[in-house]
Amino acid sequence: MGANRHMSVDSRGRYTPEALGEAMPGSEGPTGSRTHNLLSLRRASLMQEPVLVLNATYEPINVTAVRRAMVLMLKGVAQAEEMHNTEVHSAAHAHKVPSVIRLLAYRHIPQQSRALSRKNILLRDRNTCQFCVRVFPSSELTLDHVVPRSRGGRSTWENLVACCYRCNNNKGDRTPEEAGLKLARKPRPFTLHTSRQLMRLIGHRDERWRKYLFY
Ligand SMILES: [Zn+2]
């Protein structure tokens, strides 16, 4: 394993996005297919279970899937801090399933590390229309420009909110004030604080996460 250790570390000793950037739930990176085979994945659903990712300093920084977490462990990038009681079996070995992993080298997290995307806006707003404050499935939500684009409103964290189609039609090409609508809350960039809240929501079933999430 040691031979691979420096594979995805840049010249300043930080892990590249290649190694860790895709460690968000639901996205699989192109790397590690050899390691994937190693873990002959019989229990596919278990492999998708969320795993809390801690920085070297024990600060929670992300949530990933069991499969991805085990790849990071096999590459020597992370080690398990908490385990599930279950195992997955490859041809020759039984592997314990991690619940919490920790990066072995400190990773610098930029202040605004989250990409502006529809998915992240809906995550931030917790799938709640910011005008009627009702929760919808992602497919029934759109993104609303609070200050319409026709008025110079930009596509930024501060000007985009989750919005149901009904409220979006109702608002039309107007500001909330003009349309007599009120924002549920002021839209803000997706900060580490926000992602910690999300991790807390995802991890509320797993007792092993609690001590790392400052309950
Ligand atoms: Zn609405």
Side-chain angles (χ1 to χ4, degrees), residues 145-149 152-160:
H145 284 79
V146 177
V147 176
R149 269 185 289 197
R154 293 165 57 208
S155 299
T156 58
W157 282 105
E158 293 85 353
N159 196 46
L160 284 169

Side-chain angles (χ1 to χ4, degrees), residues 45-60:
S45 64
L46 175 65
M47 298 307 276
Q48 294 309 320
E49 283 288 303
V51 174
L52 182 65
V53 183
L54 307 175
N55 214 335
T57 52
Y58 290 89
E59 181 191 19

Side-chain angles (χ1 to χ4, degrees), residues 129-134 136 163-164 166-168:
C129 170
Q130 293 299 291
F131 296 110
C132 66
V133 203
R134 287 166 59 202
F136 292 89
C163 182
C164 74
R166 192 174 167 182
C167 289
N168 192 242

